[in-house]
């Protein structure tokens, strides 16, 4: 199912600027702790003491959307993805 555009043609969102309700997620079975995502998205990702990324528990803000998509594409382990927020 594809999202329907809201008023003004923008994708329908959750009303908080959260990129249409998208969240950054990591597949922990694939993540190898490269840290590339934390370098590309310091606003949303920090490297934890265990050497693996810790993600902000918030939706993706609209102004970070293109950088988030770039980080997802560049994850060398294909572990990073964008999920629809519940
Ligand atoms: S770039 Fe990918 S593999 Fe590296 S820490 Fe981030 S999610 Fe894990």
């Amino acid at each position: 199912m594809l999202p329907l555009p809201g008023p003004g043609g923008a994708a329908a969102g959750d009303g908080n600027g959260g990129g249409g309700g998208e969240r950054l997620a990591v597949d922990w079975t694939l993540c190898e702790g490269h840290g590339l995502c934390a370098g590309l998205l310091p606003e949303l990702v920090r490297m934890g003491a265990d050497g693996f990324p810790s993600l902000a528990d918030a939706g993706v803000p609209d102004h970070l959307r293109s950088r988030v998509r770039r980080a997802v594409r560049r994850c060398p382990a294909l572990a990073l993805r964008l999920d629809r927020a519940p």
Side-chain angles (χ1 to χ4, degrees):
M1 183 183 324
L2 296 173
L4 295 174
D14 56 9
N16 66 1
E22 293 174 318
R23 282 178 192 271
L24 197 57
V26 173
D27 183 335
W28 299 112
T29 66
L30 297 174
C31 179
E32 297 172 355
H34 297 100
L36 185 70
C37 52
L40 291 172
L41 290 168
E43 300 91 341
L44 297 176
V45 184
R46 298 269 156 76
M47 292 307 286
D50 60 359
F52 288 92
S54 174
L55 307 183
D57 189 27
V60 173
D62 290 338
H63 71 282
L64 292 179
R65 218 167 174 190
S66 63
R67 287 176 51 207
V68 165
R69 291 184 189 279
R70 185 182 325 142
V72 168
R73 284 194 310 269
R74 291 189 178 176
C75 172
L78 304 178
L80 207 55
R81 68 178 189 273
L82 262 179
D83 283 348
R84 280 252 159 239

